[in-house]
């Protein structure tokens, strides 16, 4: 015999103002199977929860209905309270009389009637609830970090330093990402490479980190704690085992005129190369598209000079399968292609460059060894114009968001320029100076006050060449006058955009993304490092534009989430999963196709001699997310969803 | 030699060579214009075979009789193109192995029948493709057009009147090759979603559930329609659903042995926003 307790919450005025909770309690008290029906101001409060627990014990309740807010809000709270009172937590249900009743109705009489219907229907459901036990799934204690920039390296090191295994996958031939390309970093002006390269080496040499460079994740299956990951190891044409990184092949390669990606096209590299001198691993790769041998079938100079026979033109892409428990996605960003701004002349005038190119010019390891020289003639520019928001905050041609880092790096560029070119004049066109962060505003003030950067509030309308100068026409909105500046170099503070293949990659690994292609977090405020897929976490600029401190903080946060996950032998999952009645299943496999999580397999029913009698669908509870798609599809009604069985739903509907 | 005699010869060959263990065909019925199914197990029995324009029933449902194909031996069967489409659907839904089905295909109108070339379901794909292609210009059932012109209220009243005659004998289900479930949803009583008694609501529920279960699967063979003892025009409701599915998803039931069921498959690049 059911003994259901009904607890009607006023939620202060939220419910109490529209629903007559006392009358509701009296109505429900007369419903068959209801042992006790009471109302209270706030059942979610500590005394409220205590009164629920006491009622369960005193009345030997077999089920509980809390008529209150949305189950998203407090289902977990009340289920926990029920469990503490000795009741199976899945014998507790929430009747939502706030969002679905009091908040949307004006007439108290009708609202009270509707609240009674909603609550009664849940009482009918609870009568048919079953005790459910959480599902335990094993955890593979090995993390995958996708992306070897600062965020990925930080996450990998944090996890590895806690003693857990990490596989770090980077699609470029070296670790480092964008941070390795930077000159000095704001707001402290410490050299980027000096702080980055030791971390790269540490990651590569860490006994718990397996480093896979020039590799891409091409498939992710499975679920939290049990992902199956496929990684493509792209052919380097150099055997990294035997290669010592002596560099003879790089020096002797006859094809040295290829624009260096690492130097943003400002420097040159050979066809067999390492992206930069401090690459990790410091082993070259062959750029197949530009290699003379691959193009003409002749050359092989590298083969001749290599004393260790490490060059192998026959090398093929390889695929490796990994068992992974949790994933950090740290795939980073790209800079927007500025050629959409024809008026700025990017791509047309050699001396109009973007911020990342300026970083390479200012970097000691860059094509000019750290001297600020203009790309066209190698002369020191006497006047430089910096244009902020070149793409950011521009709904018409660029992106609507603020790229966050540009105000700071432009101030840094002006400072580096002032330090390297004495007497150089920098002019910065800006919309707003956004310098929120520790030491950030002080930094921009320093650029203005000590390094004499001239900030002009306004936009640039056109850049053109005249007598060897770049003429920049803009407006100073604070003075309300048009200005024309004759500059030697123009630097665009280009917008940060997602990787061009971010959306496809998100589909490959099964996470959400926004309209731009930045990956979605589970909750912007409360779960900022989790993706919407359990077990996959985010770090760095793949989620939104971020600077180094933010990326590192998020990477460490992701790592700590993963370490918490790995601290348990087994994971507990909600037992709301589909089950199949093998006796009635017709084996049509519609559910196998309909399941978005690949959680349904085909299972053979065999007799004693091992002969297959029939084949039926079988739900893997570890994979099932309880969405119910298969249940709605099943024509023979063989599939059912624990916690939301057809019996329960039917009773719920009939209770209305 | 008439097509009937040709096929008799073929049936004898198939059985005597052991290529098939049985052939499912037609024989004379109780009246001159009716045919009943014939299960031919020996070459001699082939003599009873009748093949003419009165052979209209879709026999494919007999193939999913429990245990018939579990010995992995082949069975021959006389099928019109709609029946061949049923074989494709049954194969796609893992109810039979199409390699075990030897098709004796034929087609025709209400006067005469012609033989169709081919043996396995896939051999007839060109014919099926051309039926799909010509589906839009095929003459539409005048009654269906009439129903489509009704207002929703009139249409509901029409079907309510039709279904009120239903006696829940489930002859439609038994005659339909697609109704192979070991337990039908109406036989499930925990909970009893569909009322078993023959009142208006229960009748409507049953017939609507069946229409949905056949969407994207019905080949329009008319078995249900002919089986109905109270002459409910079931074919109309199924034809309407088939048209909707064709229009909305370009899905024509029974195109191939590997066709995915329209209501269970989805594509990640679907333009609809409900797909993540």
């Amino acid at each position: 015999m059911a003994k259901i307790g009904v607890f009607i919450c006023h939620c202060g005025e939220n419910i109490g103002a529209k629903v007559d909770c006392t009358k509701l309690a009296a109505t429900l008290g007369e419903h068959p199977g209801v042992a006790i029906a009471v109302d209270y101001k706030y059942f979610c409060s500590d005394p409220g929860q205590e009164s629920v627990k006491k009622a369960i014990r005193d009345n030997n309740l077999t089920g509980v209905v809390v008529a209150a807010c949305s189950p998203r809000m407090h289902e977990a709270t009340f289920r926990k309270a029920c469990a503490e009172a000795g009741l199976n937590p899945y014998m507790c249900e929430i009747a939502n009389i706030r969002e679905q009743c009091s908040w949307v109705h004006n007439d108290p009489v009708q609202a009270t009637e509707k609240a009674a219907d909603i609550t009664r229907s849940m009482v009918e459901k609870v009568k048919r609830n079953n005790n459910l036990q959480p599902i335990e799934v094993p955890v593979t204690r090995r993390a995958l970090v996708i992306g070897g920039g600062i965020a990925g390296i930080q996450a990998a090191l944090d996890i590895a330093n806690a003693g857990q295994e990490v596989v770090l996958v980077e699609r470029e031939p070296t670790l480092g990402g964008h941070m390795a390309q930077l000159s000095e970093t704001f707001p402290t002006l410490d050299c980027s490479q000096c702080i980055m390269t030791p971390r790269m080496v540490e990651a590569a040499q860490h006994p718990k980190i397996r480093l896979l460079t020039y590799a891409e994740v091409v498939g992710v299956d499975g679920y939290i704690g049990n992902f199956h990951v496929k990684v493509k190891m792209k052919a380097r044409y150099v055997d990294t085992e035997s290669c010592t990184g002596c560099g003879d092949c790089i020096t002797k390669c006859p094809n040295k005129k290829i624009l260096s990606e690492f130097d943003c096209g400002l420097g040159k590299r050979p066809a067999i190369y390492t992206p930069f001198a401090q690459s990790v691993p410091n082993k070259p790769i062959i750029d197949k598209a530009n290699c003379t041998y691959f193009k003409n079938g002749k050359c092989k100079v590298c083969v001749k000079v290599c004393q260790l026979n490490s060059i192998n033109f026959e090398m093929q892409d390889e695929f490796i399968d990994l068992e992974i428990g949790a994933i950090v996605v740290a795939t980073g960003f790209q800079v927007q292609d500025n050629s959409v701004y024809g008026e700025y002349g990017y791509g047309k005038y050699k001396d109009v460059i973007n911020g990342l190119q300026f970083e390479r010019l200012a970097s000691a390891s860059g094509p000019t060894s750290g001297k600020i020289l203009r790309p066209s003639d190698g002369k020191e520019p006497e006047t430089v114009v910096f244009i902020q928001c070149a793409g950011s905050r521009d709904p018409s041609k660029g992106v609507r968001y603020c790229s966050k880092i540009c105000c700071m790096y432009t101030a840094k560029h002006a400072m580096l320029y002032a330090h390297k070119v004495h007497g150089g004049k920098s002019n910065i066109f800006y919309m707003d100076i956004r310098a929120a962060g520790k030491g950030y505003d002080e930094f921009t003030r320093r650029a203005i006050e000590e390094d004499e950067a001239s900030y002009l509030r306004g936009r640039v309308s056109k850049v053109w060449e005249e007598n060897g100068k770049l003429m920049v026409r803009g407006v100073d909105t604070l003075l309300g006058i048009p200005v024309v500046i004759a500059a030697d170099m123009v630097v665009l503070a280009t917008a940060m955009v997602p990787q061009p293949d971010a959306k496809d990659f998100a589909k490959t690994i099964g996470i959400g993304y926004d309209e731009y292609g930045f990956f979605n977090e589970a909750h912007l405020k409360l779960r900022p490092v989790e993706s919407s897929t359990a077990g996959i976490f985010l770090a760095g600029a793949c989620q939104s534009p971020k600077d180094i401190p933010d990326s590192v903080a998020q990477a460490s946060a992701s790592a700590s989430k993963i370490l918490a996950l790995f601290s348990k032998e087994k994971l507990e999952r909600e037992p709301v999963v589909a089950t199949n009645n093998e006796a009635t299943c017709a084996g049509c496999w519609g559910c196998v196709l309909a399941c978005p999580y690949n959680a349904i397999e085909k299972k053979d029913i065999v007799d004693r001699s091992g002969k297959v009698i029939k084949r039926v669908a079988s739900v893997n509870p570890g994979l099932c997310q309880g969405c119910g798609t298969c249940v709605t599809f099943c024509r023979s009604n063989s599939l059912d969803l624990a916690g939301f069985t057809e019996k329960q739903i039917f009773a719920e509907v009939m209770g209305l | 030699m008439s097509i009937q005699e040709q096929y008799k010869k073929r049936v004898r060959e198939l059985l005597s060579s052991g290529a098939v263990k049985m052939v499912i065909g037609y024989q004379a019925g109780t009246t001159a214009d009716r045919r009943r199914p014939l299960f031919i197990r020996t070459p001699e029995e082939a003599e009873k075979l009748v093949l003419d324009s009165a052979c209209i029933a879709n026999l494919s449902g007999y193939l999913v009789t429990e245990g018939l194909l579990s010995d992995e031996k082949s069975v021959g069967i006389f099928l019109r193109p709609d029946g061949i489409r049923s074989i494709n659907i049954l194969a796609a839904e893992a109810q039979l192995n199409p390699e075990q089905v030897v098709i004796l295909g034929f087609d025709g109108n209400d006067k005469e029948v012609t033989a169709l070339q081919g043996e396995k379901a896939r051999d007839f794909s060109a014919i099926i493709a051309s039926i799909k292609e010509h589906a839009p210009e095929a003459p539409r059932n005048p009654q269906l057009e009439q129903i489509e012109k009704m207002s929703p209220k009139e249409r509901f009243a029409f079907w309510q009147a039709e279904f009120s005659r239903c006696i829940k004998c489930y002859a439609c289900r038994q005659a339909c090759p697609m109704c192979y479930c070991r337990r039908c949803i109406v036989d499930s009583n925990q909970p009893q979603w569909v009322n078993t008694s023959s009142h208006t609501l229960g009748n409507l529920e049953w017939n609507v559930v069946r229409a949905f279960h056949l969407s994207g699967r019905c080949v329009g063979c008319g078995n249900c329609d002919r089986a109905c003892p109270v002459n409910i025009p079931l074919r109309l409701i199924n034809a309407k659903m088939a048209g909707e599915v064709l229009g909305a998803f370009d899905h024509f039931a029974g195109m191939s042995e590997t066709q995915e069921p329209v209501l269970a498959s989805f594509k990640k690049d679907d333009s609809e926003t409900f797909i993540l």
Side-chain angles (χ1 to χ4, degrees):
Chain A
M1 181 60 198
K3 280 196 234 169
I4 312 294
V6 179
F7 302 92
I8 295 148
C9 183
H10 293 236
C11 195
E13 290 286 290
N14 277 303
I15 295 169
K18 286 278 144 51
V19 173
D20 183 344
C21 295
T22 319
K23 191 178 165 207
L24 185 59
T27 314
L28 264 295
E30 289 175 11
H31 190 78
V34 174
I36 174 173
V38 286
D39 61 307
Y40 184 67
K41 203 93 181 153
Y42 288 107
F43 268 116
C44 59
S45 68
D46 196 39
Q49 289 189 51
E50 281 308 315
S51 74
V52 173
K53 287 190 222 171
K54 188 170 181 300
I56 295 171
R57 290 195 203 96
D58 292 352
N59 299 281
N60 256 336
L61 295 181
T62 58
V64 164
V65 173
V66 183
C69 48
S70 155
R72 270 194 71 92
M73 192 80 190
H74 277 310
E75 187 180 70
T77 312
F78 290 109
R79 285 195 165 167
K80 190 164 159 275
C82 287
E84 281 164 10
L87 195 66
N88 183 290
Y90 295 94
M91 300 306 287
C92 169
E93 294 286 354
I94 308 293
N96 183 353
I97 58 166
R98 192 177 76 173
E99 284 85 341
Q100 292 175 356
C101 188
S102 67
W103 276 3
V104 288
H105 295 299
N106 287 324
D107 179 40
V109 178
Q110 286 183 320
T112 307
E113 274 172 29
K114 182 175 168 183
D117 277 345
I118 294 172
T119 314
R120 212 175 301 145
S121 122
M122 287 321 284
V123 170
E124 286 305 309
K125 184 188 181 204
V126 168
K127 284 184 187 173
R128 288 151 185 89
N129 274 21
N130 298 310
N131 287 352
L132 299 177
Q133 305 304 330
I135 296 166
E136 289 196 331
V137 283
V139 182
T140 308
R141 288 171 172 168
R142 185 181 301 117
L144 170 72
V145 178
I146 308 170
I150 184 59
I153 291 175
Q154 180 70 35
L157 284 173
D158 281 357
I159 298 166
N161 285 337
Q164 303 294 350
E165 279 181 52
V166 180
V167 181
L168 177 56
V169 175
E170 166 58 50
R171 74 167 160 191
E172 298 297 329
T174 173
L175 286 179
H178 277 113
M179 187 173 160
Q181 289 176 281
L182 307 182
S183 50
E184 267 92 66
T185 54
F186 61 80
T188 45
L189 290 189
D190 39 1
C191 154
S192 183
Q193 292 235 338
C194 311
I195 53 177
M196 184 65 183
T197 44
R199 308 233 77 189
M200 288 156 58
V201 174
E202 195 185 342
Q205 292 179 347
H206 202 291
K208 289 283 184 186
I209 297 178
R210 179 176 175 196
L211 178 60
L212 305 174
T213 53
Y214 208 45
E216 283 181 40
V217 172
V218 290
V220 173
D221 275 332
Y223 52 97
I224 180 170
N226 299 274
F227 291 107
H228 312 292
V229 178
K230 198 179 252 318
V231 177
K232 178 164 98 173
M233 303 291 296
K234 295 183 277 188
R236 300 176 83 105
Y237 306 106
V238 173
D239 173 30
T240 46
E241 295 289 316
S242 58
C243 171
T244 57
C246 70
D248 284 353
C249 52
I250 301 175
T251 7
K252 294 283 158 55
C253 178
N255 186 359
K256 289 196 167 58
K257 294 268 170 72
I258 304 156
L259 292 178
S260 157
E261 296 85 356
F262 187 78
D263 283 334
C264 302
L266 295 176
K268 301 267 183 0
R269 63 160 174 85
I272 184 165
Y273 71 107
T274 54
F276 59 107
Q278 294 78 24
S279 292
V280 172
N282 194 17
K283 311 280 171 80
I285 69 155
I286 294 178
D287 171 5
K288 192 175 176 182
N290 288 304
C291 169
T292 316
Y293 173 77
F294 277 113
K295 279 201 285 194
N296 310 334
K298 284 191 205 123
C299 180
K300 288 202 174 181
V301 171
C302 49
V303 178
K304 282 170 210 137
V305 297
C306 181
Q307 293 174 11
L308 295 151
N309 296 322
S310 298
I311 316 280
N312 175 7
F313 287 112
E314 305 301 314
M315 206 178 261
Q316 297 290 327
D317 292 349
E318 281 175 34
F319 292 89
I320 53 175
D321 294 302
L322 302 167
E323 299 297 312
I324 294 294
I327 301 173
V328 179
V329 181
T331 50
F333 68 97
Q334 282 301 339
V335 287
Q336 196 194 13
D337 177 9
N338 277 116
S339 47
V340 295
Y341 290 94
E343 63 269 37
Y344 295 157
Y346 184 83
K348 188 173 167 195
Y349 308 125
K350 277 188 170 177
D351 296 330
V352 179
I353 60 173
N354 68 29
L356 202 54
Q357 288 175 314
F358 190 88
E359 295 286 342
R360 292 313 298 147
L361 289 181
S363 169
S365 71
T368 56
S369 303
K371 293 200 181 79
I372 309 287
L373 302 173
R374 23 191 256 174
S376 60
D377 55 8
K379 285 188 188 147
E380 236 175 31
E382 287 164 17
T383 306
V384 179
V385 168
F386 295 90
I387 303 173
Q388 288 197 183
C389 298
S392 306
R393 303 174 66 196
D394 177 3
S396 59
K397 274 184 174 174
V399 292
R400 275 191 286 131
Y401 55 81
C402 164
S403 289
K404 199 175 174 181
I405 59 167
C406 327
C407 288
M408 292 305 296
Y409 78 62
T410 301
K412 177 190 75 180
H413 287 172
M415 274 170 151
L416 294 177
Y417 174 60
H419 299 171
K420 286 170 189 266
V421 181
H422 298 287
K425 177 81 192 127
S426 57
N427 300 280
I428 302 173
F429 284 94
Y430 72 102
M431 284 162 72
D432 300 289
I433 302 177
R434 298 186 166 180
K438 188 169 179 177
Y440 283 13
D441 201 54
E442 298 93 312
F443 186 80
T444 53
R445 293 311 307 169
R446 216 170 99 203
I448 297 166
E449 287 156 17
E450 291 176 25
D451 292 314
E452 294 174 351
S454 158
Y455 272 75
L456 296 147
R457 190 178 190 282
R459 305 290 294 153
V460 169
S461 62
K462 196 168 170 62
V463 177
W464 73 97
E465 212 168 34
E466 208 174 283
N467 304 326
K469 290 273 184 188
L470 288 167
M471 307 305 287
V472 181
R473 184 199 289 142
V475 62
D476 184 335
T477 55
L478 296 183
L479 293 177
I481 51 163
V483 281
V484 177
I485 298 169
D488 300 304
M489 191 160 86
V490 173
V491 183
L492 306 176
T494 312
M496 248 174 148
V497 292
Q499 295 280 7
D501 56 349
K503 289 182 182 177
D504 288 333
F505 186 68
K507 285 179 191 165
T508 304
I509 61 172
I511 58 173
Y513 52 84
D514 66 13
E515 57 185 298
Y516 308 107
F518 287 117
F519 301 143
N520 278 346
E521 57 292 312
H523 189 287
L524 194 57
K525 281 153 276 180
L526 300 179
R527 295 173 67 200
V529 305
E530 289 103 324
S531 76
S532 46
T533 305
I536 303 185
F537 302 88
L538 306 174
C542 63
Q543 182 207 15
S544 64
K546 283 195 186 68
D547 56 18
I548 298 165
D550 282 0
S551 297
V552 170
Q554 198 189 9
S556 288
S558 285
S560 79
K561 291 272 173 194
I562 288 178
L563 292 170
L565 185 70
F566 288 179
S567 67
K568 298 181 204 119
E569 293 247 332
K570 296 207 159 154
L571 282 179
E572 282 199 351
R573 289 212 30 232
E574 281 265 301
V576 179
V577 292
T579 52
N580 187 27
N581 182 343
E582 293 176 355
T584 58
C585 173
C588 74
W589 311 136
C591 54
V592 176
L593 277 170
C595 178
Y597 303 99
N598 295 331
I600 308 185
E601 295 148 17
K602 298 172 186 179
K603 177 183 161 188
D604 291 340
I605 306 277
V606 292
D607 65 10
R608 282 185 210 169
S609 59
K611 196 180 152 236
V612 178
I613 304 169
K614 69 170 193 170
R615 299 185 78 195
V616 294
S618 171
V619 181
N620 179 339
L623 287 172
C624 177
Q625 301 291 312
C627 71
T629 306
C630 58
V631 179
T632 56
F633 176 77
C634 184
R635 285 186 289 268
S636 66
N637 226 22
S638 302
L639 284 154
D640 212 350
L641 189 62
F644 296 89
T645 61
E646 303 227 343
K647 253 190 198 175
Q648 289 169 299
I649 303 288
F650 191 80
E652 217 179 309
V653 175
M654 299 314 278
L656 282 175
Chain B
M1 208 180 348
S2 73
I3 171 178
Q4 178 173 301
E5 294 310 309
Q6 277 175 32
Y7 269 130
K8 271 186 192 171
K9 186 165 165 257
R10 173 103 176 98
V11 169
R12 279 193 287 267
E13 280 166 12
L14 283 170
L15 286 163
S16 47
S17 68
V20 299
K21 64 169 180 177
M22 181 204 279
V23 174
I24 305 172
Y26 305 89
Q27 60 181 319
T30 42
T31 59
D33 58 344
R34 301 182 85 169
R35 301 289 169 259
R36 70 161 64 137
L38 172 66
F39 302 89
I40 314 167
R41 291 180 180 81
T42 62
E44 296 73 46
E45 285 172 325
E47 211 35 58
K48 287 192 210 163
L49 185 80
V50 174
L51 189 64
D52 57 18
S53 57
C55 299
I56 43 177
N58 177 358
L59 303 176
S60 59
Y62 292 110
L63 291 174
V64 290
T65 307
E66 192 136 6
L68 178 67
L69 296 173
S70 57
D71 58 3
E72 295 182 5
K73 286 184 184 149
S74 292
V75 170
I77 184 164
F78 281 84
L79 293 172
R80 286 179 183 257
D82 52 9
I84 301 168
R85 286 165 61 199
S86 300
I87 299 294
N88 277 333
I89 303 169
L90 291 170
E93 295 181 359
Q95 299 306 306
L96 52 75
N97 174 1
E99 299 306 319
Q100 282 177 264
V101 182
V102 176
I103 294 169
L104 298 135
F106 67 102
D107 200 1
N109 48 32
D110 50 9
K111 295 207 171 56
E112 53 174 8
V113 290
T114 49
L116 294 178
Q117 293 304 309
E119 187 169 275
K120 293 285 152 59
R122 72 181 85 89
D123 301 338
F124 302 90
S125 51
I127 296 168
I128 296 169
S130 90
I131 298 173
K132 182 197 169 183
E133 213 175 298
H134 294 108
E137 68 235 38
R140 302 209 51 195
N141 188 312
Q143 206 184 350
L144 188 60
E145 289 196 337
Q146 207 184 332
I147 295 168
E148 279 173 348
K149 283 189 193 123
M150 292 178 183
S151 70
K153 210 172 166 183
E154 286 167 343
R155 195 152 52 226
F156 189 73
F158 170 83
W159 283 113
Q160 222 173 2
E162 289 292 338
F163 292 148
S164 69
R165 301 204 306 279
C166 175
I167 55 170
K168 290 268 181 61
C169 67
Y170 303 133
C172 48
R173 182 181 79 183
Q174 297 315 112
C176 180
M178 289 301 117
C179 279
Y180 52 72
C181 287
R182 285 161 184 83
R183 184 198 64 183
C184 177
I185 185 167
V186 284
D187 299 330
S188 157
N189 60 4
Q190 295 278 345
Q192 185 89 58
W193 284 114
V194 181
N195 271 299
T196 49
S197 55
S198 295
H199 55 59
T200 317
L201 178 65
N203 289 352
L204 190 72
E205 282 171 345
W206 157 243
N207 285 291
V208 169
V209 164
R210 212 182 97 83
F212 271 98
H213 282 188
L214 287 175
S215 309
R217 301 169 76 233
C218 175
V219 295
C221 67
N223 273 13
C224 51
D225 204 301
R226 286 188 295 273
C228 183
V230 293
N231 294 324
I232 299 170
L234 293 165
R235 197 199 298 239
L236 296 179
I237 200 163
N238 292 331
K240 176 71 187 160
M241 294 306 275
E244 293 290 314
V245 167
L246 184 64
F249 307 108
D250 191 33
H251 181 98
F252 188 68
M255 288 290 282
S256 78
E257 308 163 3
T258 51
Q259 188 183 30
E260 291 187 344
V262 69
L263 295 185
S265 50
F266 60 88
K267 293 177 179 67
K268 280 188 181 166
D269 55 359
D270 195 299
S271 56
E272 297 296 332
T273 50
F274 68 89
I275 288 174
L276 196 73

